[in-house]
Amino acid sequence: MNCITDVKDKITKLIIKAYQNKASDLFIRENMYPYIRNNLGKIEMLEDDFIKDSQMISFLKKAEQLSDFLSSLDFVITDSDFFVSVANINCRCHFYKTIKGRAIAIRLLPDKIPSLNKLGLPESVKLLADKKSGLIIVSGPTGSGKSTTIASIIDVINQKYNYHIITIEDPIEYTFENKKSIISQIPLGKNITNFSESIKSAMRENPNVIMIGELRTLEDIKIALFAAESGHLVITTLHANNAIDALDRMINYEEKLNLKNLLANTFQAIITQKLVTTKEHKVLCLEILLRNNATVSCIKNEDYTSLINIMKSTPGMMTMQDHFNMLKEQGIISKEINL
């Protein structure tokens, strides 16, 4: 973990101010005002003071993980992900370039890993921490809390079982303390530059659980499925809006038949989540697909209509729309809000 302790640094001050304002994100662009995404998901200006080029460079240089990429003040690299802790505030950062100059998108992470109860996840999701092998996928759009859900599941496993857990992330977001388990957290970097290589390496390190930050490529998917088939519990994220989209993302390749059978034989759950903004807060809306004989058969036969009906009618499972309607009936989401 890279720690920045100089609280006099301009961008460090902005991170602290964003945290005090309960923002989820801070947007820094040189020669422009800093903005935050507030606790209701709205973009608003944090200060009416331009970010200077020198302030941007100073912060990036303090983030030691970037030092290997800095050959000059012009920055040869065009984008990079990195993790820093600023005044005990954990931040996931993405450095990139725009037509107007350098920019950093900074995600402010919670102080502690929230419990599954606090996240509002049902019992059927909590029980996934007891699975010994197979594939658990948490999907959803960017900013829907996928990493937090996975971290919470890992934390439950860490408290209950004497396991070796390996996490492969780009970048590392939550840092874990060994409880009953030992946890090895591996960032992608100079030595291993992609998830598929990291998964292959992790399988030689005798883990019980492999957490993969994201499945990005066909090779990642194939190696993750192989790891799950080999008796490991594999937990990962995917960008998909619902369970059916997630299935398509996993198998819609030339090797479809083999991938489909591997997925059907190994999957334990596909959880899709979306954050719905109300006037007062954000509400987690879920779709949950779990493994049973019927869902395995539907995946093998690509019978997605029946799969949706099973999710709608089976305890522990739900469609996104049904959960959204339930939250409306409970008065948690007002009737004028649409999914």
Side-chain angles (χ1 to χ4, degrees):
M1 181 193 301
N2 301 305
C3 296
I4 297 178
T5 56
D6 180 10
V7 295
K8 295 180 181 178
D9 177 271
K10 175 63 175 179
I11 294 178
T12 297
K13 287 182 178 179
L14 291 174
I15 290 172
I16 294 169
K17 188 172 182 178
Y19 175 82
Q20 292 169 342
N21 280 270
K22 299 182 180 179
S24 63
D25 299 87
L26 170 64
F27 303 99
I28 302 293
R29 296 165 299 164
E30 66 176 289
N31 302 316
M32 302 187 78
Y33 301 127
Y35 280 77
I36 59 170
R37 187 180 297 278
N38 67 23
N39 61 334
L40 295 180
K42 307 292 186 183
I43 298 293
E44 61 181 40
M45 188 186 297
L46 182 61
E47 284 187 359
D48 58 352
D49 188 17
F50 277 4
I51 300 297
K52 297 176 183 177
D53 180 62
S54 59
Q55 294 166 337
M56 179 86 71
I57 292 170
S58 173
F59 177 77
L60 289 169
K61 284 190 171 181
K62 288 185 175 76
E64 294 177 357
Q65 189 168 333
L66 278 182
S67 60
D68 291 338
F69 300 113
L70 304 181
S71 61
S72 71
L73 295 185
D74 292 328
F75 295 106
V76 173
I77 191 166
T78 57
D79 71 280
S80 178
D81 295 305
F82 60 100
F83 178 94
V84 294
S85 180
V86 172
N88 294 319
I89 304 165
N90 292 335
C91 303
R92 182 184 74 196
C93 307
H94 179 72
F95 166 72
Y96 59 105
K97 284 185 175 180
T98 74
I99 59 172
K100 294 186 177 180
R102 305 179 186 95
I104 313 173
I106 301 173
R107 169 65 53 87
L108 281 65
L109 301 172
D111 298 334
K112 296 180 181 179
I113 298 170
S115 68
L116 293 173
N117 282 334
K118 187 171 183 179
L119 293 176
L121 293 163
E123 188 67 23
S124 58
V125 174
K126 299 173 191 174
L127 292 173
L128 294 174
D130 297 320
K131 300 297 181 183
K132 307 302 180 189
S133 64
L135 181 67
I136 298 170
I137 298 170
V138 180
S139 67
T142 300
S144 59
K146 300 185 294 295
S147 298
T148 302
T149 295
I150 284 186
S152 299
I153 294 172
I154 293 289
D155 198 47
V156 172
I157 297 171
N158 189 18
Q159 294 177 55
K160 293 179 70 173
Y161 296 106
N162 301 98
Y163 282 172
H164 180 203
I165 301 169
I166 293 178
T167 77
I168 304 165
E169 304 169 73
D170 182 25
I172 288 173
E173 297 188 22
Y174 292 93
T175 53
F176 296 93
E177 295 180 3
N178 295 336
K179 295 175 183 176
K180 279 195 171 182
S181 294
I182 58 171
I183 302 184
S184 305
Q185 294 188 257
I186 303 169
L188 294 190
K190 289 186 297 181
N191 296 326
I192 299 180
T193 58
N194 59 64
F195 282 115
S196 56
E197 285 184 16
S198 296
I199 301 165
K200 290 177 186 176
S201 177
M203 290 175 66
R204 295 192 291 269
E205 293 152 16
N206 196 21
N208 301 91
V209 179
I210 304 172
M211 189 274 268
I212 307 164
E214 182 184 352
L215 296 183
R216 295 174 176 170
T217 68
L218 172 59
E219 188 64 21
D220 295 344
I221 292 168
K222 288 164 65 176
I223 299 298
L225 289 170
F226 177 72
E229 188 183 41
S230 301
H232 304 87
L233 180 62
V234 177
I235 309 175
T236 189
T237 73
L238 196 68
H239 286 283
N241 293 322
N242 54 56
I244 306 305
D245 284 348
L247 290 169
D248 280 339
R249 286 287 309 275
M250 291 289 292
I251 66 176
N252 198 15
Y253 295 93
E254 288 185 10
E255 305 168 46
K256 185 171 187 177
L257 180 60
N258 186 44
L259 291 171
K260 181 173 62 177
N261 288 332
L262 270 173
L263 180 58
N265 291 335
T266 58
F267 101 98
Q268 292 290 355
I270 298 175
I271 304 160
T272 306
Q273 48 190 61
K274 181 177 181 179
L275 286 173
V276 178
T277 302
T278 70
K279 291 180 180 178
E280 296 82 22
H281 48 214
K282 292 181 181 178
V283 178
L284 187 62
C285 195
L286 299 167
E287 180 161 290
I288 301 173
L289 172 65
L290 301 175
R291 180 184 188 82
N292 64 25
N293 290 337
T295 56
V296 169
S297 177
C298 286
I299 291 173
K300 286 184 175 179
N301 295 315
E302 296 184 61
D303 185 359
Y304 294 157
T305 300
S306 296
L307 198 63
I308 293 170
N309 291 331
I310 292 168
M311 282 193 286
K312 293 171 75 70
S313 61
T314 306
M317 300 193 214
M318 62 182 75
T319 66
M320 184 79 69
Q321 188 64 57
D322 285 345
H323 190 218
F324 182 73
N325 292 341
M326 183 183 75
L327 293 170
K328 278 192 170 184
E329 290 171 6
Q330 294 173 345
I332 297 172
I333 296 175
S334 59
K335 292 185 178 180
E336 66 268 15
I337 295 176
N338 296 315
L339 185 61

